[in-house]
Every structure is written in structure tokens, then in C-alpha cells.
Amino acid sequence: AMEVRNAAEKRFGIDLPIVPFLESGSLQALAENIEGLIRQPNARDSIPAGDPDSGFPLTHGQQALWFLHELTGAETSFNIAGAVQISGKWQADRFEQALKTLVARHPALRTTFHLDAAGSPVQQVIRSPELPLLEIDASDWDSARVEAYLRREAWRKFNLEDDPPFRVRVLRTANPAERIVLFSVDHIVADFWSISLVVQDLLDAYTGEPRPVTGQQITFGDFARWHNQQVASESGERQLAYWQEKLGGQLPALNLPTDFPRPPVFSYRGDSVQHPLSPELTEQLHSLSQSLGATDYQVLMAAFQVLLQRYSGQDEFLIGTVASGRNRPELSSMVGYFINPL
């Protein structure tokens, strides 16, 4: 939804609020909504560009993650990681140059975090960082050893104060025409949207077709300054007051009949359970969603809530989820932490 909305705003030069966009229900209704906005004079404030080498504050979302980093210490990593297998003639020099191009293009990948004189966290872009690349000879490793190394390296915690929050590991396997490339980045400077940008930009640069840079480029630092100004504005204060009232007082904890009591501090050592749906059930889900004018996500979330109600017997409880905070077209091609937790 955010991608389509941002593309429409960029194409037609309009401010398209997300709520009417989601409520349109059909492409025709959406087109009529856009057409009406095109006819109206529409001035939108822009995010001003600042000094890319100066320090800048953390966004509110980053402050929450930074607090969790400090709270959990060395026990927990907040990494986003993934490995890809590249086949064909490996060109190490070209890959290294592509990585330099990537890091230069996205300042978030070369950002460190410090406390200022007042004891508040700030972030600083490193102008000329060391390349976060290490090549490993794994030609005599078996698959179990490769898997163990990838897992260990993927979740190895970053030192946010001294090191860039991004690293790349290249494994040379027994097959000379194959490399395994592991990407790992701290969540405080990236989201999953960012990872797709990182991989695509790196591969484009490696193959000699880098994405062109057009127009005035703002950085995540510019967004962070602008974001904090918006939060401190009259509108931001109203929204803050709403959520302080909504989430104030005693919140309803979800009490499921589990085998173990809830620990006083999160361990983050949970697990995931995969439950694939059959093609037939998936098609039924699509049909139900369309008949309700809802998304599959909304229908599945409602089903999940009903399931939790059945197990807990509670009519009120909290569920955490995330939405994209990239609510402006100029943020769609920027690496950064734009998660909006709900």
C-alpha cells in the first residue's frame, strides 16, 4: 500500500493521505480519489537537506531500539541478516568497488552512535569508513560448518559506538564458480525494506548498472531532524496526548495457559512456527477478504485475535505489529529505520 501510494504521489505531485487510499476499495475509487486531489492546489512541505557530516538526533523509533540495546547488553542482537548464493565467474575487485558504491550511497550503513554532553544518544556518519568486507576460505568446510558459521556471524552483535552497523562476509566454497555472501546490519539503521534496497543496489553496481541518483538527495539524518520537529509540533503533541491516554494506566496483559511463567525480563529466545496454508484455503481467504473489502492481513489478524481470545478467555489484550513509516515518496529509496510499531 505504501509503495503504490508513494508512486502515485511522486507521479502526480499530490499529497495522498493513507486512510482514504486504504478505504477506496477498488482501483476505480482510488483513481477518482487521485483525480480529485490533482484538481486541488496542493502544497506539501519538503524535508530540508542539512550537513551530511554533522551529528543528528535519533528518531523516536531508534531511541526505543537504542534503549533495548543498552538494556540487554551483549546478550541480544537486533540484527537483520540474510545470505545469498552467487554463481558464475566471481570478480572480487568489482564486488569490492560495488560495496564501496553502496556504502557511499547510503550513509545509514556507516553511522555510529554516541552519547552527547547531555547524556542523550546521537548518531554520526563516518566520512571514510573501513570497508565492512571479509572473505573467508570455506573450500574444505562441510555444509554443517558453513551453516554454523553463517548463523553465528549473522547474529554477532554490533558495537554501535565504534563500528559501522553493517558487515558483509564472502565465503569461497569448494565450487570455484560459487560464493555465499552474507549481509548483516543492525536493525537500528535499517528495516526489511532497506535490505531489499541494499541487495538490489549492490547487485546493480556489481553488474555495472547502478541505479541513477536524481534530484536533491536527502539523508536519513535530514529525515531524523525533520521527524523530531514534527513530533514536537502542535500536531505531534496532540497525537502524543492521544496515545498517552489510550495506553495509560494498567494495560491488559495476555495470559495464555503456557507451561512456564512469564519471565520478568524478555529473553528474546523465542522461536517461529511455520504453518503453510493449502492453495484451496488460500483462495478461500482471498475471496473472503475481497467480499469484506479487507486485506488478507486484516482477516488473518482478526482470526489470530479470536484464537487468542479462545485460549485466554480475555476480551481485551494487546497485539504488537508493525507498519511501514515510509509515508513520503522521497523515503522509498533510502536505507534507514522507518518501522512504525503499533
Side-chain angles (χ1 to χ4, degrees):
M2 282 294 188
E3 287 188 78
V4 176
R5 171 182 176 270
N6 287 342
E9 287 196 347
K10 187 175 182 179
R11 171 66 178 81
F12 300 109
I14 59 174
D15 184 359
L16 185 58
I18 190 63
V19 172
F21 173 83
L22 292 174
E23 290 179 343
S24 294
S26 69
L27 286 177
Q28 179 177 344
L30 176 59
E32 292 171 353
N33 194 345
I34 292 175
E35 189 176 24
L37 290 170
I38 291 175
R39 293 181 180 145
Q40 302 172 6
N42 194 283
R44 186 175 198 180
D45 65 314
S46 59
I47 299 176
D51 180 4
D53 294 323
S54 64
F56 53 94
L58 278 63
T59 65
H60 282 237
Q62 285 183 304
Q63 290 177 35
L65 269 183
W66 181 85
F67 174 79
L68 290 175
H69 274 80
E70 296 297 303
L71 180 68
T72 58
E75 296 179 6
T76 306
S77 85
F78 292 87
N79 295 4
I80 306 174
V84 295
Q85 181 175 302
I86 299 180
S87 301
K89 182 180 179 182
W90 178 253
Q91 302 181 67
D93 292 343
R94 175 174 282 190
F95 183 82
E96 184 174 324
Q97 185 57 49
L99 190 58
K100 289 179 180 178
T101 301
L102 174 76
V103 172
R105 180 172 197 147
H106 297 293
L109 301 178
R110 45 190 171 93
T111 300
T112 55
F113 294 78
H114 312 269
L115 292 177
D116 62 14
S120 299
V122 294
Q123 42 193 332
Q124 177 78 48
V125 175
I126 305 173
R127 180 176 295 183
S128 302
E130 292 185 13
L131 204 60
L133 174 63
L134 182 64
E135 189 161 347
I136 307 295
D137 183 4
S139 57
D140 59 347
W141 293 7
D142 59 20
S143 59
R145 185 176 176 185
V146 169
E147 178 74 15
Y149 174 84
L150 291 174
R151 288 186 178 277
R152 184 173 64 253
E153 192 66 14
W155 303 117
R156 184 163 59 85
K157 192 165 184 174
F158 287 93
N159 182 340
L160 295 179
E161 187 171 359
D162 299 323
D163 302 322
F166 174 60
R167 57 177 169 254
V168 179
R169 300 292 181 258
V170 177
L171 270 64
R172 300 192 303 271
T173 65
N175 183 350
E178 176 186 282
R179 295 293 188 278
I180 297 175
V181 183
L182 172 69
F183 303 92
S184 188
V185 60
D186 196 287
H187 205 354
I188 200 169
V189 297
D191 48 26
F192 284 96
W193 187 315
S194 298
I195 296 304
S196 65
L197 292 173
V198 165
V199 173
Q200 192 61 56
D201 281 351
L202 182 62
L203 293 180
D204 287 349
Y206 179 67
T207 57
E209 299 179 0
R211 179 165 50 90
V213 178
T214 58
Q216 183 184 24
Q217 295 300 300
I218 61 171
T219 66
F220 187 82
D222 300 326
F223 167 76
R225 297 185 190 97
W226 175 85
H227 164 84
N228 287 351
Q229 290 171 0
Q230 298 300 307
V231 172
S233 67
E234 183 178 343
S235 172
E237 291 291 343
R238 285 199 304 271
Q239 295 180 53
L240 178 60
Y242 169 85
W243 285 111
Q244 284 178 329
E245 179 183 356
K246 193 76 173 176
L247 299 177
Q250 188 68 33
L251 296 177
L254 179 63
N255 293 309
L256 293 173
T258 55
D259 295 338
F260 302 99
R262 180 184 285 111
V265 179
F266 279 125
S267 69
Y268 295 96
R269 293 190 295 271
D271 204 351
S272 299
V273 178
Q274 304 294 329
H275 184 79
L277 306 183
S278 68
E280 295 77 18
L281 184 56
T282 301
E283 185 56 39
Q284 293 174 358
L285 172 65
H286 292 331
S287 299
L288 176 60
S289 303
Q290 291 175 4
S291 69
L292 296 172
T295 65
D296 291 347
Y297 177 84
Q298 290 171 315
V299 172
L300 288 169
M301 176 61 81
F304 183 54
Q305 290 174 331
V306 170
L307 181 70
L308 293 178
Q309 195 279 334
R310 293 284 181 88
Y311 275 117
S312 67
Q314 298 174 233
D315 292 331
E316 284 192 343
F317 46 81
L318 299 180
I319 292 181
T321 185
V322 292
S324 172
R326 297 174 186 263
N327 55 1
R328 300 174 67 98
E330 57 266 46
L331 305 179
S332 60
S333 59
M334 184 185 300
V335 171
Y337 181 77
F338 295 97
I339 291 297
N340 181 21
L342 307 172

